[in-house]
DNA sequence: TGATTGATTGATACTAAATCTCAATACTTT
DNA sequence: AAAGTATTGAGATTTAGTATCAATCAATCA
């Protein structure tokens, strides 16, 4: 497994995304540092406008355009995932490349891998009963991760 | 079961939503008829702006405000569901009140119920392995329903 | 070190989705 | 027919997200 669960801390995500930027030939500029810092410190899933409000208005460290650009890149590279949302704005959570099913911790904002095979097993009989030809799916689970339950509250 | 699968045709959805409007004390006006007709005839999940383009621009039957109002009401009442979407616009599919897990047919646009218990069975062991406290979830399956596979193609 | 080169930034303009407003209109009831 | 209420819709407004492009910055090379 490329990313063992124990490594999936915000601090590790912060280090890995900076390395990923460099590996992609992108520069680790001050505005990008500020954005990565903010995301790594986010205590829950967040919207682009929350980042804008925190960095553009309050500190003047990163402009709206820079923030949207980096969020898009991080999502395309698999370091962020867009969550289902009832509202108008996209909601993001920290993520790790290569994962597809997620359990989003509403306390620390991390999105950790779910074992895909178990889920497919559960879905298969229901699909068969419907004679439904599956072409794609979205599964998102929300709650509190084991780490948060252990270390706080 | 309140809505057996065999009843979940677009035509039945059309009749039931009109009845639901009346039951709620709302009037079945000409603009609302046109909107319900369009949704019942929709061949796939759709956006609010698609309805606007079809009814406002082409025929002048319903204004943007009326369309958004009815879509909101239908969703709140359980007759539409918003789908996960990568894009900016909300995407809707016909739905039936009281259901939570959906299999969306990309050909006829219907969203039919999935057996909840089977899915939960599949998820539970994976959650236990993560020590994850589940508070909510989104599951959406996309494909082609048995009815569409039988009758067309 | 200083110049060069190309990536990056950010102020601003723009587009598009969705909401809000309120006078005009259309039902419904009496 | 009149009164009262729900509904409509044109247009203004808000907001998210995108596009532009001159100015700036960072990395490399001489």
């Amino acid at each position: 497994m490329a990313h063992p669960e124990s490594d999936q801390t915000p601090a590790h995500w912060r280090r890995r995304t900076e390395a990923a930027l460099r590996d992609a030939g992108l520069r680790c500029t001050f505005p990008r540092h500020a954005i990565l810092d903010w995301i790594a410190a986010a205590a829950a899933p967040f919207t682009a406008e929350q980042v804008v409000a925190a960095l553009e208005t309050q500190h003047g460290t990163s402009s709206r355009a820079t923030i949207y650009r980096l969020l898009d890149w991080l999502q395309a590279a698999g370091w962020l995932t867009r969550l289902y949302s009832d509202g108008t704005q996209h909601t993001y959570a920290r993520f790790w490349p290569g994962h597809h099913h997620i359990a989003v911790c509403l306390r620390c904002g991390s999105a950790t891998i779910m074992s895909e095979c178990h889920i497919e097993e559960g879905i298969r009989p229901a699909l068969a009963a419907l004679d439904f030809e599956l072409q794609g799916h979205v599964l998102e689970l929300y709650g509190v991760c084991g780490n948060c339950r252990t270390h706080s509250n």
PDB file of all heavy atoms in Angstrom, chain D residues 3-15:
ATOM      1  P    DA D   3     -64.477  44.297  -2.536  1.00  0.00           P
ATOM      2  OP1  DA D   3     -64.896  45.362  -1.606  1.00  0.00           O
ATOM      3  OP2  DA D   3     -63.599  44.615  -3.673  1.00  0.00           O
ATOM      4  O5'  DA D   3     -63.814  43.123  -1.692  1.00  0.00           O
ATOM      5  C5'  DA D   3     -64.670  42.248  -0.953  1.00  0.00           C
ATOM      6  C4'  DA D   3     -63.840  41.136  -0.350  1.00  0.00           C
ATOM      7  O4'  DA D   3     -63.646  40.108  -1.353  1.00  0.00           O
ATOM      8  C3'  DA D   3     -62.453  41.580   0.106  1.00  0.00           C
ATOM      9  O3'  DA D   3     -62.185  40.984   1.359  1.00  0.00           O
ATOM     10  C2'  DA D   3     -61.530  41.079  -0.984  1.00  0.00           C
ATOM     11  C1'  DA D   3     -62.259  39.828  -1.471  1.00  0.00           C
ATOM     12  N9   DA D   3     -62.020  39.483  -2.876  1.00  0.00           N
ATOM     13  C8   DA D   3     -61.916  40.340  -3.945  1.00  0.00           C
ATOM     14  N7   DA D   3     -61.735  39.745  -5.095  1.00  0.00           N
ATOM     15  C5   DA D   3     -61.702  38.390  -4.761  1.00  0.00           C
ATOM     16  C6   DA D   3     -61.542  37.227  -5.547  1.00  0.00           C
ATOM     17  N6   DA D   3     -61.365  37.231  -6.864  1.00  0.00           N
ATOM     18  N1   DA D   3     -61.579  36.044  -4.902  1.00  0.00           N
ATOM     19  C2   DA D   3     -61.754  36.040  -3.571  1.00  0.00           C
ATOM     20  N3   DA D   3     -61.922  37.064  -2.733  1.00  0.00           N
ATOM     21  C4   DA D   3     -61.891  38.223  -3.394  1.00  0.00           C
ATOM     22  P    DG D   4     -60.836  41.347   2.172  1.00  0.00           P
ATOM     23  OP1  DG D   4     -61.186  41.505   3.598  1.00  0.00           O
ATOM     24  OP2  DG D   4     -60.141  42.433   1.447  1.00  0.00           O
ATOM     25  O5'  DG D   4     -59.992  40.006   2.026  1.00  0.00           O
ATOM     26  C5'  DG D   4     -60.625  38.743   2.272  1.00  0.00           C
ATOM     27  C4'  DG D   4     -59.718  37.628   1.827  1.00  0.00           C
ATOM     28  O4'  DG D   4     -59.760  37.513   0.382  1.00  0.00           O
ATOM     29  C3'  DG D   4     -58.250  37.845   2.202  1.00  0.00           C
ATOM     30  O3'  DG D   4     -57.737  36.637   2.747  1.00  0.00           O
ATOM     31  C2'  DG D   4     -57.573  38.185   0.884  1.00  0.00           C
ATOM     32  C1'  DG D   4     -58.427  37.401  -0.108  1.00  0.00           C
ATOM     33  N9   DG D   4     -58.411  37.916  -1.470  1.00  0.00           N
ATOM     34  C8   DG D   4     -58.465  39.226  -1.868  1.00  0.00           C
ATOM     35  N7   DG D   4     -58.436  39.377  -3.163  1.00  0.00           N
ATOM     36  C5   DG D   4     -58.343  38.072  -3.657  1.00  0.00           C
ATOM     37  C6   DG D   4     -58.280  37.606  -4.985  1.00  0.00           C
ATOM     38  O6   DG D   4     -58.292  38.254  -6.028  1.00  0.00           O
ATOM     39  N1   DG D   4     -58.209  36.207  -5.031  1.00  0.00           N
ATOM     40  C2   DG D   4     -58.201  35.393  -3.934  1.00  0.00           C
ATOM     41  N2   DG D   4     -58.122  34.085  -4.160  1.00  0.00           N
ATOM     42  N3   DG D   4     -58.260  35.817  -2.678  1.00  0.00           N
ATOM     43  C4   DG D   4     -58.333  37.166  -2.623  1.00  0.00           C
ATOM     44  P    DT D   5     -56.330  36.607   3.444  1.00  0.00           P
ATOM     45  OP1  DT D   5     -56.487  36.009   4.780  1.00  0.00           O
ATOM     46  OP2  DT D   5     -55.710  37.936   3.253  1.00  0.00           O
ATOM     47  O5'  DT D   5     -55.543  35.569   2.532  1.00  0.00           O
ATOM     48  C5'  DT D   5     -56.173  34.361   2.127  1.00  0.00           C
ATOM     49  C4'  DT D   5     -55.437  33.765   0.958  1.00  0.00           C
ATOM     50  O4'  DT D   5     -55.736  34.525  -0.237  1.00  0.00           O
ATOM     51  C3'  DT D   5     -53.914  33.784   1.113  1.00  0.00           C
ATOM     52  O3'  DT D   5     -53.439  32.457   1.040  1.00  0.00           O
ATOM     53  C2'  DT D   5     -53.421  34.648  -0.036  1.00  0.00           C
ATOM     54  C1'  DT D   5     -54.568  34.541  -1.033  1.00  0.00           C
ATOM     55  N1   DT D   5     -54.683  35.683  -1.971  1.00  0.00           N
ATOM     56  C2   DT D   5     -54.737  35.428  -3.316  1.00  0.00           C
ATOM     57  O2   DT D   5     -54.699  34.312  -3.791  1.00  0.00           O
ATOM     58  N3   DT D   5     -54.834  36.541  -4.106  1.00  0.00           N
ATOM     59  C4   DT D   5     -54.885  37.856  -3.696  1.00  0.00           C
ATOM     60  O4   DT D   5     -54.968  38.775  -4.510  1.00  0.00           O
ATOM     61  C5   DT D   5     -54.821  38.053  -2.261  1.00  0.00           C
ATOM     62  C7   DT D   5     -54.864  39.441  -1.706  1.00  0.00           C
ATOM     63  C6   DT D   5     -54.720  36.970  -1.475  1.00  0.00           C
ATOM     64  P    DA D   6     -51.905  32.143   1.196  1.00  0.00           P
ATOM     65  OP1  DA D   6     -51.733  31.067   2.182  1.00  0.00           O
ATOM     66  OP2  DA D   6     -51.190  33.423   1.336  1.00  0.00           O
ATOM     67  O5'  DA D   6     -51.584  31.546  -0.245  1.00  0.00           O
ATOM     68  C5'  DA D   6     -52.426  30.525  -0.769  1.00  0.00           C
ATOM     69  C4'  DA D   6     -52.143  30.334  -2.236  1.00  0.00           C
ATOM     70  O4'  DA D   6     -52.427  31.563  -2.949  1.00  0.00           O
ATOM     71  C3'  DA D   6     -50.697  29.979  -2.563  1.00  0.00           C
ATOM     72  O3'  DA D   6     -50.731  28.985  -3.580  1.00  0.00           O
ATOM     73  C2'  DA D   6     -50.087  31.290  -3.021  1.00  0.00           C
ATOM     74  C1'  DA D   6     -51.283  31.969  -3.691  1.00  0.00           C
ATOM     75  N9   DA D   6     -51.262  33.436  -3.653  1.00  0.00           N
ATOM     76  C8   DA D   6     -51.169  34.230  -2.558  1.00  0.00           C
ATOM     77  N7   DA D   6     -51.198  35.519  -2.825  1.00  0.00           N
ATOM     78  C5   DA D   6     -51.335  35.568  -4.196  1.00  0.00           C
ATOM     79  C6   DA D   6     -51.428  36.637  -5.114  1.00  0.00           C
ATOM     80  N6   DA D   6     -51.404  37.924  -4.753  1.00  0.00           N
ATOM     81  N1   DA D   6     -51.552  36.337  -6.429  1.00  0.00           N
ATOM     82  C2   DA D   6     -51.582  35.043  -6.792  1.00  0.00           C
ATOM     83  N3   DA D   6     -51.502  33.953  -6.032  1.00  0.00           N
ATOM     84  C4   DA D   6     -51.380  34.291  -4.735  1.00  0.00           C
ATOM     85  P    DT D   7     -49.424  28.302  -4.079  1.00  0.00           P
ATOM     86  OP1  DT D   7     -49.787  26.973  -4.605  1.00  0.00           O
ATOM     87  OP2  DT D   7     -48.377  28.460  -3.042  1.00  0.00           O
ATOM     88  O5'  DT D   7     -49.033  29.224  -5.326  1.00  0.00           O
ATOM     89  C5'  DT D   7     -49.958  29.355  -6.389  1.00  0.00           C
ATOM     90  C4'  DT D   7     -49.410  30.270  -7.438  1.00  0.00           C
ATOM     91  O4'  DT D   7     -49.480  31.632  -6.968  1.00  0.00           O
ATOM     92  C3'  DT D   7     -47.945  30.024  -7.820  1.00  0.00           C
ATOM     93  O3'  DT D   7     -47.924  29.555  -9.147  1.00  0.00           O
ATOM     94  C2'  DT D   7     -47.268  31.392  -7.651  1.00  0.00           C
ATOM     95  C1'  DT D   7     -48.454  32.345  -7.622  1.00  0.00           C
ATOM     96  N1   DT D   7     -48.265  33.612  -6.851  1.00  0.00           N
ATOM     97  C2   DT D   7     -48.357  34.811  -7.518  1.00  0.00           C
ATOM     98  O2   DT D   7     -48.575  34.903  -8.704  1.00  0.00           O
ATOM     99  N3   DT D   7     -48.184  35.921  -6.729  1.00  0.00           N
ATOM    100  C4   DT D   7     -47.937  35.941  -5.367  1.00  0.00           C
ATOM    101  O4   DT D   7     -47.801  37.009  -4.765  1.00  0.00           O
ATOM    102  C5   DT D   7     -47.853  34.646  -4.732  1.00  0.00           C
ATOM    103  C7   DT D   7     -47.585  34.562  -3.259  1.00  0.00           C
ATOM    104  C6   DT D   7     -48.019  33.547  -5.496  1.00  0.00           C
ATOM    105  P    DT D   8     -46.563  29.218  -9.862  1.00  0.00           P
ATOM    106  OP1  DT D   8     -46.845  28.126 -10.803  1.00  0.00           O
ATOM    107  OP2  DT D   8     -45.512  29.087  -8.851  1.00  0.00           O
ATOM    108  O5'  DT D   8     -46.310  30.539 -10.695  1.00  0.00           O
ATOM    109  C5'  DT D   8     -47.364  31.051 -11.494  1.00  0.00           C
ATOM    110  C4'  DT D   8     -46.973  32.405 -12.028  1.00  0.00           C
ATOM    111  O4'  DT D   8     -46.919  33.335 -10.935  1.00  0.00           O
ATOM    112  C3'  DT D   8     -45.604  32.433 -12.702  1.00  0.00           C
ATOM    113  O3'  DT D   8     -45.777  32.754 -14.061  1.00  0.00           O
ATOM    114  C2'  DT D   8     -44.830  33.520 -11.942  1.00  0.00           C
ATOM    115  C1'  DT D   8     -45.911  34.275 -11.202  1.00  0.00           C
ATOM    116  N1   DT D   8     -45.523  34.848  -9.887  1.00  0.00           N
ATOM    117  C2   DT D   8     -45.556  36.212  -9.709  1.00  0.00           C
ATOM    118  O2   DT D   8     -45.872  36.984 -10.591  1.00  0.00           O
ATOM    119  N3   DT D   8     -45.194  36.634  -8.438  1.00  0.00           N
ATOM    120  C4   DT D   8     -44.832  35.843  -7.363  1.00  0.00           C
ATOM    121  O4   DT D   8     -44.540  36.331  -6.290  1.00  0.00           O
ATOM    122  C5   DT D   8     -44.822  34.432  -7.627  1.00  0.00           C
ATOM    123  C7   DT D   8     -44.432  33.492  -6.530  1.00  0.00           C
ATOM    124  C6   DT D   8     -45.166  34.001  -8.859  1.00  0.00           C
ATOM    125  P    DG D   9     -44.636  32.392 -15.091  1.00  0.00           P
ATOM    126  OP1  DG D   9     -45.276  32.153 -16.400  1.00  0.00           O
ATOM    127  OP2  DG D   9     -43.745  31.389 -14.502  1.00  0.00           O
ATOM    128  O5'  DG D   9     -43.864  33.770 -15.161  1.00  0.00           O
ATOM    129  C5'  DG D   9     -44.591  34.937 -15.487  1.00  0.00           C
ATOM    130  C4'  DG D   9     -43.681  36.130 -15.372  1.00  0.00           C
ATOM    131  O4'  DG D   9     -43.517  36.457 -13.965  1.00  0.00           O
ATOM    132  C3'  DG D   9     -42.259  35.904 -15.899  1.00  0.00           C
ATOM    133  O3'  DG D   9     -41.793  37.119 -16.454  1.00  0.00           O
ATOM    134  C2'  DG D   9     -41.470  35.577 -14.654  1.00  0.00           C
ATOM    135  C1'  DG D   9     -42.129  36.509 -13.662  1.00  0.00           C
ATOM    136  N9   DG D   9     -41.979  36.140 -12.263  1.00  0.00           N
ATOM    137  C8   DG D   9     -41.789  34.887 -11.741  1.00  0.00           C
ATOM    138  N7   DG D   9     -41.703  34.876 -10.432  1.00  0.00           N
ATOM    139  C5   DG D   9     -41.854  36.205 -10.078  1.00  0.00           C
ATOM    140  C6   DG D   9     -41.837  36.821  -8.802  1.00  0.00           C
ATOM    141  O6   DG D   9     -41.698  36.291  -7.689  1.00  0.00           O
ATOM    142  N1   DG D   9     -42.022  38.203  -8.894  1.00  0.00           N
ATOM    143  C2   DG D   9     -42.192  38.898 -10.063  1.00  0.00           C
ATOM    144  N2   DG D   9     -42.355  40.208  -9.947  1.00  0.00           N
ATOM    145  N3   DG D   9     -42.196  38.327 -11.259  1.00  0.00           N
ATOM    146  C4   DG D   9     -42.023  36.999 -11.184  1.00  0.00           C
ATOM    147  P    DA D  10     -41.215  37.096 -17.910  1.00  0.00           P
ATOM    148  OP1  DA D  10     -42.341  37.047 -18.850  1.00  0.00           O
ATOM    149  OP2  DA D  10     -40.147  36.096 -17.992  1.00  0.00           O
ATOM    150  O5'  DA D  10     -40.565  38.544 -17.965  1.00  0.00           O
ATOM    151  C5'  DA D  10     -41.369  39.672 -17.621  1.00  0.00           C
ATOM    152  C4'  DA D  10     -40.541  40.678 -16.856  1.00  0.00           C
ATOM    153  O4'  DA D  10     -40.425  40.284 -15.476  1.00  0.00           O
ATOM    154  C3'  DA D  10     -39.116  40.856 -17.379  1.00  0.00           C
ATOM    155  O3'  DA D  10     -38.863  42.249 -17.516  1.00  0.00           O
ATOM    156  C2'  DA D  10     -38.235  40.211 -16.316  1.00  0.00           C
ATOM    157  C1'  DA D  10     -39.073  40.340 -15.057  1.00  0.00           C
ATOM    158  N9   DA D  10     -38.901  39.259 -14.084  1.00  0.00           N
ATOM    159  C8   DA D  10     -38.767  37.927 -14.345  1.00  0.00           C
ATOM    160  N7   DA D  10     -38.652  37.179 -13.263  1.00  0.00           N
ATOM    161  C5   DA D  10     -38.723  38.083 -12.230  1.00  0.00           C
ATOM    162  C6   DA D  10     -38.673  37.926 -10.823  1.00  0.00           C
ATOM    163  N6   DA D  10     -38.531  36.744 -10.217  1.00  0.00           N
ATOM    164  N1   DA D  10     -38.773  39.039 -10.072  1.00  0.00           N
ATOM    165  C2   DA D  10     -38.920  40.215 -10.679  1.00  0.00           C
ATOM    166  N3   DA D  10     -38.983  40.496 -11.981  1.00  0.00           N
ATOM    167  C4   DA D  10     -38.874  39.375 -12.709  1.00  0.00           C
ATOM    168  P    DG D  11     -37.504  42.732 -18.161  1.00  0.00           P
ATOM    169  OP1  DG D  11     -37.813  44.001 -18.820  1.00  0.00           O
ATOM    170  OP2  DG D  11     -36.878  41.620 -18.892  1.00  0.00           O
ATOM    171  O5'  DG D  11     -36.618  43.059 -16.886  1.00  0.00           O
ATOM    172  C5'  DG D  11     -37.192  43.813 -15.834  1.00  0.00           C
ATOM    173  C4'  DG D  11     -36.319  43.708 -14.603  1.00  0.00           C
ATOM    174  O4'  DG D  11     -36.495  42.421 -13.971  1.00  0.00           O
ATOM    175  C3'  DG D  11     -34.810  43.843 -14.876  1.00  0.00           C
ATOM    176  O3'  DG D  11     -34.282  44.737 -13.928  1.00  0.00           O
ATOM    177  C2'  DG D  11     -34.285  42.442 -14.651  1.00  0.00           C
ATOM    178  C1'  DG D  11     -35.216  41.986 -13.547  1.00  0.00           C
ATOM    179  N9   DG D  11     -35.264  40.550 -13.313  1.00  0.00           N
ATOM    180  C8   DG D  11     -35.228  39.531 -14.244  1.00  0.00           C
ATOM    181  N7   DG D  11     -35.284  38.345 -13.699  1.00  0.00           N
ATOM    182  C5   DG D  11     -35.342  38.590 -12.334  1.00  0.00           C
ATOM    183  C6   DG D  11     -35.411  37.701 -11.233  1.00  0.00           C
ATOM    184  O6   DG D  11     -35.433  36.472 -11.240  1.00  0.00           O
ATOM    185  N1   DG D  11     -35.464  38.388 -10.018  1.00  0.00           N
ATOM    186  C2   DG D  11     -35.455  39.751  -9.887  1.00  0.00           C
ATOM    187  N2   DG D  11     -35.513  40.244  -8.654  1.00  0.00           N
ATOM    188  N3   DG D  11     -35.394  40.599 -10.900  1.00  0.00           N
ATOM    189  C4   DG D  11     -35.334  39.950 -12.092  1.00  0.00           C
ATOM    190  P    DA D  12     -32.864  45.423 -14.160  1.00  0.00           P
ATOM    191  OP1  DA D  12     -33.110  46.746 -14.749  1.00  0.00           O
ATOM    192  OP2  DA D  12     -31.964  44.459 -14.828  1.00  0.00           O
ATOM    193  O5'  DA D  12     -32.362  45.602 -12.663  1.00  0.00           O
ATOM    194  C5'  DA D  12     -33.318  45.883 -11.642  1.00  0.00           C
ATOM    195  C4'  DA D  12     -32.849  45.301 -10.331  1.00  0.00           C
ATOM    196  O4'  DA D  12     -33.096  43.877 -10.305  1.00  0.00           O
ATOM    197  C3'  DA D  12     -31.354  45.493 -10.074  1.00  0.00           C
ATOM    198  O3'  DA D  12     -31.164  45.908  -8.734  1.00  0.00           O
ATOM    199  C2'  DA D  12     -30.762  44.112 -10.348  1.00  0.00           C
ATOM    200  C1'  DA D  12     -31.914  43.204  -9.934  1.00  0.00           C
ATOM    201  N9   DA D  12     -31.924  41.904 -10.611  1.00  0.00           N
ATOM    202  C8   DA D  12     -31.857  41.658 -11.954  1.00  0.00           C
ATOM    203  N7   DA D  12     -31.896  40.379 -12.262  1.00  0.00           N
ATOM    204  C5   DA D  12     -32.000  39.753 -11.034  1.00  0.00           C
ATOM    205  C6   DA D  12     -32.087  38.389 -10.680  1.00  0.00           C
ATOM    206  N6   DA D  12     -32.077  37.388 -11.551  1.00  0.00           N
ATOM    207  N1   DA D  12     -32.177  38.087  -9.366  1.00  0.00           N
ATOM    208  C2   DA D  12     -32.182  39.095  -8.480  1.00  0.00           C
ATOM    209  N3   DA D  12     -32.120  40.412  -8.696  1.00  0.00           N
ATOM    210  C4   DA D  12     -32.022  40.667 -10.012  1.00  0.00           C
ATOM    211  P    DT D  13     -29.710  46.235  -8.190  1.00  0.00           P
ATOM    212  OP1  DT D  13     -29.861  47.291  -7.174  1.00  0.00           O
ATOM    213  OP2  DT D  13     -28.797  46.403  -9.352  1.00  0.00           O
ATOM    214  O5'  DT D  13     -29.290  44.894  -7.446  1.00  0.00           O
ATOM    215  C5'  DT D  13     -30.208  44.301  -6.531  1.00  0.00           C
ATOM    216  C4'  DT D  13     -29.615  43.021  -5.991  1.00  0.00           C
ATOM    217  O4'  DT D  13     -29.814  41.959  -6.956  1.00  0.00           O
ATOM    218  C3'  DT D  13     -28.113  43.083  -5.721  1.00  0.00           C
ATOM    219  O3'  DT D  13     -27.901  42.793  -4.349  1.00  0.00           O
ATOM    220  C2'  DT D  13     -27.513  42.032  -6.645  1.00  0.00           C
ATOM    221  C1'  DT D  13     -28.695  41.120  -6.923  1.00  0.00           C
ATOM    222  N1   DT D  13     -28.659  40.406  -8.222  1.00  0.00           N
ATOM    223  C2   DT D  13     -28.811  39.041  -8.227  1.00  0.00           C
ATOM    224  O2   DT D  13     -28.948  38.378  -7.211  1.00  0.00           O
ATOM    225  N3   DT D  13     -28.785  38.449  -9.469  1.00  0.00           N
ATOM    226  C4   DT D  13     -28.637  39.091 -10.680  1.00  0.00           C
ATOM    227  O4   DT D  13     -28.641  38.450 -11.728  1.00  0.00           O
ATOM    228  C5   DT D  13     -28.484  40.519 -10.617  1.00  0.00           C
ATOM    229  C7   DT D  13     -28.307  41.300 -11.871  1.00  0.00           C
ATOM    230  C6   DT D  13     -28.507  41.103  -9.405  1.00  0.00           C
ATOM    231  P    DT D  14     -26.437  42.919  -3.694  1.00  0.00           P
ATOM    232  OP1  DT D  14     -26.598  43.466  -2.336  1.00  0.00           O
ATOM    233  OP2  DT D  14     -25.514  43.561  -4.658  1.00  0.00           O
ATOM    234  O5'  DT D  14     -26.031  41.399  -3.548  1.00  0.00           O
ATOM    235  C5'  DT D  14     -26.951  40.498  -2.935  1.00  0.00           C
ATOM    236  C4'  DT D  14     -26.436  39.089  -3.088  1.00  0.00           C
ATOM    237  O4'  DT D  14     -26.587  38.673  -4.459  1.00  0.00           O
ATOM    238  C3'  DT D  14     -24.958  38.934  -2.737  1.00  0.00           C
ATOM    239  O3'  DT D  14     -24.853  37.875  -1.812  1.00  0.00           O
ATOM    240  C2'  DT D  14     -24.292  38.632  -4.076  1.00  0.00           C
ATOM    241  C1'  DT D  14     -25.422  37.990  -4.859  1.00  0.00           C
ATOM    242  N1   DT D  14     -25.362  38.099  -6.342  1.00  0.00           N
ATOM    243  C2   DT D  14     -25.563  36.963  -7.087  1.00  0.00           C
ATOM    244  O2   DT D  14     -25.767  35.866  -6.589  1.00  0.00           O
ATOM    245  N3   DT D  14     -25.523  37.152  -8.448  1.00  0.00           N
ATOM    246  C4   DT D  14     -25.301  38.344  -9.112  1.00  0.00           C
ATOM    247  O4   DT D  14     -25.295  38.372 -10.332  1.00  0.00           O
ATOM    248  C5   DT D  14     -25.097  39.493  -8.269  1.00  0.00           C
ATOM    249  C7   DT D  14     -24.861  40.825  -8.898  1.00  0.00           C
ATOM    250  C6   DT D  14     -25.141  39.313  -6.940  1.00  0.00           C
ATOM    251  P    DT D  15     -23.535  37.641  -0.953  1.00  0.00           P
ATOM    252  OP1  DT D  15     -23.938  37.188   0.379  1.00  0.00           O
ATOM    253  OP2  DT D  15     -22.645  38.813  -1.132  1.00  0.00           O
ATOM    254  O5'  DT D  15     -22.863  36.412  -1.700  1.00  0.00           O
ATOM    255  C5'  DT D  15     -23.683  35.312  -2.082  1.00  0.00           C
ATOM    256  C4'  DT D  15     -22.959  34.489  -3.107  1.00  0.00           C
ATOM    257  O4'  DT D  15     -23.163  35.036  -4.428  1.00  0.00           O
ATOM    258  C3'  DT D  15     -21.441  34.429  -2.895  1.00  0.00           C
ATOM    259  O3'  DT D  15     -21.101  33.087  -2.650  1.00  0.00           O
ATOM    260  C2'  DT D  15     -20.861  34.973  -4.197  1.00  0.00           C
ATOM    261  C1'  DT D  15     -22.001  34.755  -5.180  1.00  0.00           C
ATOM    262  N1   DT D  15     -22.019  35.646  -6.365  1.00  0.00           N
ATOM    263  C2   DT D  15     -22.243  35.078  -7.606  1.00  0.00           C
ATOM    264  O2   DT D  15     -22.421  33.897  -7.770  1.00  0.00           O
ATOM    265  N3   DT D  15     -22.243  35.977  -8.642  1.00  0.00           N
ATOM    266  C4   DT D  15     -22.048  37.344  -8.562  1.00  0.00           C
ATOM    267  O4   DT D  15     -22.072  38.033  -9.564  1.00  0.00           O
ATOM    268  C5   DT D  15     -21.821  37.862  -7.234  1.00  0.00           C
ATOM    269  C7   DT D  15     -21.600  39.327  -7.038  1.00  0.00           C
ATOM    270  C6   DT D  15     -21.818  36.998  -6.214  1.00  0.00           C
TER     271       DT D  15
END
